[in-house]
């Protein structure tokens, strides 16, 4: 039997499935290996493409339209060429950023579209009155010829004109994912239409200006199959939070069940023993004018079967609430966000969570102690799964002011290297943010009495060479960064997209990156940003 130790001799099917697990930078390199690899993996390169500015859309698509499954149009000016998208017979996902109204019927085969994202896409009144299909909703809602298969819709900074609200709500009856971010909808249109969301599993209402009570009763409360809820509102109040909590106590009755009996009448089923949202597992509720009490928090925790994420602003957080959370949901929790919790026990609690919750992928908290990371890091049961860690690691929790004595510099360097050594075991990490969460908004970290971990090879950053999946790195001390540090990042973190640094001095102005360091990063396709601390 012929040996296949040489990967070039792998069948195309095997090479294709290997490519499915590769990120784009590695995939790009693979198609350059040989002709066989190029033939097998080239469709994966073309499956997801982005057009920006003056990119020749028509010429690019004409090369291989049957491979394209996802298209992103980012401020594309050559709108007359968008008709070429009609040739993409397998196009399933379309994202449009800052695009003027277009005739969707001549651009895309709407009967195949499964995912649609419209960002800053205004619809002028003169266009809506002309009778031309400037809005995709009437086309998608017209199922007489080709039933719509749209399952995911995202509107961002969008104004929905009254003329299209009926078709919009009709589409929503088949959606599984709906995200409305800063979307303007007339309240009367919601009440008159009386929308329903029988299949909706993921819902996000973020900074939508219409009434929060309407959002709760007319949208959230009409989605019985919700699994993930994100509800952020700047006009929300305590009454809306109380209304949401009260729904947890209620039980649904007389739910319509698909199908009919022998007489042709719709079947009814009494499920009064089921929670209002029996499948809800991820909850994020942030209202600027309302906090959730411990009692309300416990209602959520105790009435959710498999909790993966709970992100709410609490009045306080007690030991009993923490114990109930970890005892009931330690095997299902995937995201912990405690950046708003200032309890002194949080550093100890976060260690318990990391040591008992094997499915954790995202952790956000104000402060972790270097001593705890060094001593307990090897016990974290989520080491192979953790993808995002946002916290400030305090190297000097006992406030010995290590930097004031020259004899203590070696101690600080040794402790910093030991922390980096523990973090190097988080091989799946994509986001590492070592800043204090509250300091990201402009306050100075010294107000919190923290000696932060800084980014420098001399302080042990080279211990992180195994974090090959890292895409975003944020830290303190941009003025301490050298060219060697930057080049080391580029060499050892092949997927790095963003480096975010902040100097720890009190100032009214930012500390910009040096022109030379920014150029080195930008030449490698890495964005460099600075913050104020």
């Amino acid at each position: 039997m012929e040996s296949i130790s040489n990967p070039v001799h792998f069948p195309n099917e095997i090479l294709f499935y290997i490519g499915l697990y590769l990120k784009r930078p590695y995939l790009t390199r693979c198609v350059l290996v040989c002709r066989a690899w190029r033939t097998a993996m080239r469709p994966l390169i073309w499956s997801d493409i982005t057009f920006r500015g003056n990119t020749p859309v028509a010429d690019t698509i004409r090369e291989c339209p049957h491979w394209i499954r996802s298209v992103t149009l980012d401020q594309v000016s050559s709108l007359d060429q968008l008709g070429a998208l009609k040739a993409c017979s397998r196009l399933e996902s379309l994202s449009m950023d800052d695009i003027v109204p277009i005739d969707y019927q001549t651009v895309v085969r709407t009967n195949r579209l499964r995912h649609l994202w419209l960002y800053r896409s205004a619809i002028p009144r003169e266009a809506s009155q002309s009778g031309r299909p400037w809005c995709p909703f009437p086309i998608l809602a017209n199922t007489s010829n080709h039933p719509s298969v749209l399952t995911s819709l995202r509107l961002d900074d969008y104004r929905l004109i009254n003329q299209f609200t009926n078709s919009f709500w009709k589409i929503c009856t088949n959606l599984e994912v709906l995200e409305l971010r800063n979307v303007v909808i007339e309240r009367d249109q919601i009440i008159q239409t009386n929308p329903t969301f029988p299949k909706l599993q993921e819902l996000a209402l973020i900074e939508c200006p219409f009434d929060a009570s309407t959002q709760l009763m007319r949208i959230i409360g009409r989605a019985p199959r919700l699994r993930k809820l994100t509800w952020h509102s700047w006009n929300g109040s305590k009454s809306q939070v109380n209304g949401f909590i009260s729904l947890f106590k209620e039980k649904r009755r007389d739910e319509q069940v698909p199908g009919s009996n022998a007489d042709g009448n719709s079947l009814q089923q009494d499920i009064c023993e089921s929670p209002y949202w029996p499948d809800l597992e991820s909850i994020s509720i942030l209202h600027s004018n309302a906090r959730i009490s411990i009692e309300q928090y416990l209602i959520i925790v105790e009435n959710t079967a498999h909790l993966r994420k709970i992100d709410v602003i609490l009045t306080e957080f007690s030991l009993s609430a923490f114990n109930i959370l970890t005892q009931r949901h330690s095997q299902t929790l995937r995201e912990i966000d405690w950046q708003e919790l200032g309890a002194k026990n949080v550093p100890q609690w976060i260690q318990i969570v990391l040591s008992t919750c094997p499915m954790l992928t995202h952790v956000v908290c104000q402060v972790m102690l270097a001593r705890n990371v060094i001593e307990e890091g090897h016990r974290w049961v989520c080491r192979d799964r953790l993808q995002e860690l946002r916290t400030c690691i305090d190297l000097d929790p006992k406030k010995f002011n290590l930097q004031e004595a020259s004899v203590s510099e070696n101690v600080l360097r040794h402790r910093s290297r030991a922390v980096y050594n523990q973090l190097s075991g988080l091989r799946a990490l994509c986001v590492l943010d070592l800043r204090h969460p509250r300091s990201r908004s402009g306050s100075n970290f010294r107000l919190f009495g923290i000696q932060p971990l800084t980014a420098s090879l001399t302080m042990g950053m080279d211990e992180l060479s195994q974090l090959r999946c890292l895409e975003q790195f944020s830290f303190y001390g941009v003025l301490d960064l050298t060219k060697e540090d930057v080049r080391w990042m580029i060499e050892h973190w092949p997927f790095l997209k963003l480096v975010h640094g902040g100097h720890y001095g009190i100032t009214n102005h930012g500390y910009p990156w040096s022109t030379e360091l920014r150029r080195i990063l930008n030449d490698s396709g890495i964005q460099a940003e600075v913050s104020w601390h």
Side-chain angles (χ1 to χ4, degrees):
M1 181 178 178
E2 183 181 358
S3 173
I4 58 172
S5 59
N6 186 346
V8 174
H9 295 157
F10 281 165
N12 285 354
E13 292 80 5
I14 294 180
L15 289 174
F16 179 84
Y17 282 107
I18 291 175
L20 290 175
Y21 293 92
L22 298 179
K23 293 188 177 181
R24 183 165 288 270
Y26 286 155
L27 198 59
T28 305
R29 298 176 188 177
C30 286
V31 297
L32 300 177
V33 171
C34 63
R35 184 176 298 174
W37 284 40
R38 175 183 173 85
T39 302
M41 297 187 180
R42 194 182 178 203
L44 297 174
I45 293 288
W46 281 90
S47 64
D48 185 357
I49 58 176
T50 299
F51 298 100
R52 291 186 175 90
N54 297 322
T55 306
V57 178
D59 295 340
T60 305
I61 292 178
R62 193 176 295 115
E63 185 172 348
C64 46
H66 54 285
W67 288 341
I68 299 176
R69 294 180 178 272
S70 176
V71 172
T72 299
L73 305 175
D74 186 359
Q75 300 180 6
V76 174
S77 57
S78 55
L79 298 180
D80 55 328
Q81 300 186 30
L82 294 185
L85 291 174
K86 197 78 171 182
C88 302
S89 58
R90 298 184 179 181
L91 183 63
E92 297 179 351
S93 177
L94 178 62
S95 300
M96 306 181 68
D97 183 354
D98 201 10
I99 302 294
V100 299
I102 61 174
D103 191 341
Y104 288 88
Q105 210 161 19
T106 62
V107 169
V108 63
R109 301 186 182 189
T110 53
N111 61 309
R112 289 185 176 270
L113 203 60
R114 295 183 179 273
H115 313 282
L116 178 62
W117 175 31
L118 302 178
Y119 177 52
R120 291 185 298 186
S121 299
I123 302 179
R125 294 189 178 277
E126 57 271 16
S128 63
Q129 295 172 358
S130 65
R132 299 188 63 187
W134 294 95
C135 180
F137 305 138
I139 304 172
L140 293 170
N142 184 10
T143 59
S144 56
N145 298 324
H146 302 285
S148 173
V149 294
L150 191 72
T151 59
S152 176
L153 177 62
R154 179 180 178 184
L155 303 181
D156 197 337
D157 197 8
Y158 196 92
R159 182 178 182 87
L160 190 62
I161 297 178
N162 294 345
Q163 180 181 348
F164 303 125
T165 52
N166 287 334
S167 56
F168 170 73
W169 296 124
K170 185 176 181 180
I171 293 171
C172 289
T173 58
N174 292 320
L175 290 181
E176 297 177 4
V177 179
L178 175 62
E179 178 176 336
L180 304 180
R181 184 186 297 266
N182 192 23
V183 174
V184 179
I185 307 177
E186 296 294 337
R187 179 177 179 272
D188 294 340
Q189 291 295 324
I190 301 178
I191 296 176
Q192 294 174 6
T193 309
N194 200 18
T196 57
F197 309 87
K199 299 180 181 180
L200 200 62
Q201 298 182 21
E202 298 183 17
L203 173 63
L205 300 174
I206 302 175
E207 303 300 342
C208 292
F210 56 94
D211 182 55
S213 297
T214 303
Q215 298 178 31
L216 174 62
M217 302 309 299
R218 297 291 179 171
I219 299 180
I220 301 175
R222 294 178 179 271
R225 297 291 177 253
L226 273 185
R227 303 179 68 91
K228 181 178 180 180
L229 172 63
T230 303
W231 188 22
H232 300 174
S233 175
W234 55 266
N235 61 3
S237 63
K238 188 67 175 178
S239 61
Q240 282 84 44
V241 172
N242 293 339
F244 176 79
I245 298 299
S246 66
L247 291 180
F248 261 90
K249 302 177 182 179
E250 292 186 17
K251 308 297 181 181
R252 284 189 175 272
R253 297 175 180 272
D254 299 329
E255 183 177 88
Q256 189 81 12
V257 178
S260 58
N261 55 23
D263 298 329
N265 299 320
S266 298
L267 296 176
Q268 299 285 336
Q269 183 180 16
D270 187 4
I271 56 169
C272 61
E273 297 300 323
S274 298
Y276 206 81
W277 296 288
D279 303 321
L280 195 59
E281 59 188 19
S282 177
I283 304 169
S284 177
I285 302 177
L286 301 178
H287 289 188
S288 58
N289 301 321
R291 290 178 176 267
I292 291 181
S293 65
I294 286 295
E295 293 75 15
Q296 294 173 329
Y297 180 83
L298 293 178
I299 290 175
I300 296 176
V301 172
E302 294 175 349
N303 287 275
T304 307
H306 306 287
L307 192 62
R308 296 189 177 188
K309 174 185 177 180
I310 178 168
D311 180 14
V312 295
I313 301 179
L314 296 170
T315 55
E316 59 178 340
F317 195 60
S318 63
L319 178 60
S320 60
F322 170 75
N323 289 335
I324 293 176
L325 175 66
T326 53
Q327 290 171 7
R328 291 181 60 91
H329 304 289
S330 62
Q331 299 303 308
T332 59
L333 273 177
R334 295 192 178 186
E335 298 185 39
I336 289 290
D337 190 341
W338 287 346
Q339 63 175 314
E340 296 294 334
L341 294 183
K344 62 180 181 180
N345 294 325
V346 167
Q348 286 73 35
W349 291 346
I350 204 69
Q351 290 299 321
I352 296 175
V353 169
L354 290 168
S355 301
T356 58
C357 300
M359 305 301 291
L360 271 182
T361 59
H362 297 73
V363 172
V364 182
C365 64
Q366 289 187 10
V367 179
M368 294 176 63
L369 304 183
R371 179 183 66 253
N372 293 342
V373 176
I374 296 171
E375 296 176 356
E376 305 292 336
H378 65 282
R379 300 179 183 175
W380 295 353
V381 295
C382 57
R383 291 170 66 89
D384 296 332
R385 290 182 177 271
L386 198 63
Q387 300 176 15
E388 180 177 349
L389 178 61
R390 297 180 183 270
T391 183
C392 178
I393 299 179
D394 190 357
L395 296 175
D396 187 18
K398 295 185 178 180
K399 308 299 174 287
F400 288 142
N401 296 320
L402 295 177
Q403 286 189 332
E404 294 183 2
S406 58
V407 71
S408 300
E409 291 183 3
N410 290 333
V411 177
L412 186 64
R413 186 177 295 109
H414 175 76
R415 187 174 297 177
S416 177
R417 181 170 290 276
V419 171
Y420 276 127
N421 180 264
Q422 291 294 341
L423 296 179
S424 66
L426 309 177
R427 303 296 175 84
L429 207 61
C430 296
V431 178
L432 178 58
D433 191 339
L434 299 174
R435 301 168 299 160
H436 194 286
R438 291 189 176 181
S439 70
R440 297 183 195 126
S441 61
S443 55
N444 188 280
F445 82 94
R446 289 190 182 278
L447 298 178
F448 304 98
I450 293 173
Q451 175 62 56
L453 184 68
T454 57
S456 172
L457 293 176
T458 60
M459 299 298 288
M461 188 176 64
D462 54 302
E463 297 282 349
L464 302 181
S465 60
Q466 299 300 317
L467 303 186
R468 307 291 291 181
C469 297
L470 201 64
E471 299 179 2
Q472 178 179 330
F473 183 49
S474 305
F475 57 92
Y476 288 109
V478 68
L479 293 186
D480 300 329
L481 211 62
T482 64
K483 288 190 292 185
E484 290 72 20
D485 297 331
V486 171
R487 287 169 178 163
W488 182 92
M489 293 179 186
I490 296 173
E491 178 182 355
H492 291 86
W493 298 334
F495 300 118
L496 192 63
K497 299 177 182 178
L498 174 64
V499 177
H500 199 153
H503 190 269
Y504 41 82
I506 300 178
T507 175
N508 293 326
H509 304 284
Y511 285 82
W513 287 77
S514 70
T515 304
E516 186 175 10
L517 293 184
R518 184 183 293 273
R519 186 179 66 251
I520 294 174
L521 289 167
N522 291 344
D523 288 346
S524 299
I526 301 172
Q527 184 179 358
E529 294 185 2
V530 69
S531 56
W532 290 261
H533 304 290

